[in-house]
Amino acid sequence: MRFNEIQLLHLAEKALHDSCKRGYLFKRTADTNKWQLRWFVLYQNLLFYYDTEAAIRPSGAILLEGSYCERLVQPGSGKTTASTQVRIS
């Protein structure tokens, strides 16, 4: 699937105004492998991320087509909790 920048910005704007799942998540950076807190908005099969909740333009987008979500249990607890990590592959 191909998107150009104008199409992605239009979808990101639509996502901000529609009732979508949204909230803060940690995103690992590609260059330093450090975790950064980002504001995410899920719209259909696109996960947009922003530097802050007030940002208008997304920093990027992740296409979730063909991906799955895996809940990672914290070592030693044997339980899933609110601080459980989720890996999208």
Side-chain angles (χ1 to χ4, degrees):
M1 184 180 307
R2 297 182 125 191
F3 291 103
N4 64 34
E5 187 176 357
I6 294 171
Q7 290 170 321
L8 274 177
L9 289 175
H10 174 73
L11 288 172
E13 184 178 333
K14 190 167 176 60
L16 286 175
H17 298 296
D18 285 358
S19 57
C20 302
K21 298 289 183 186
R22 59 189 75 222
Y24 281 99
L25 296 171
F26 283 96
K27 178 190 173 300
R28 190 175 355 192
T29 61
D31 53 345
T32 63
N33 268 348
K34 291 186 179 181
W35 292 92
Q36 296 178 329
L37 189 63
R38 294 287 182 250
W39 177 255
F40 280 81
V41 176
L42 177 63
Y43 182 71
Q44 296 177 3
N45 65 342
L46 289 167
L47 189 60
F48 293 100
Y49 57 94
Y50 301 80
D51 288 334
T52 66
E53 187 175 349
I56 303 284
R57 188 181 180 104
S59 299
I62 300 168
L63 180 63
L64 298 177
E65 193 72 33
S67 297
Y68 67 94
C69 215
E70 177 182 339
R71 186 175 295 258
L72 303 175
V73 179
Q74 293 179 351
S77 72
K79 299 187 232 176
T80 57
T81 65
S83 62
T84 299
Q85 295 178 346
V86 176
R87 178 175 49 200
I88 298 173
S89 303

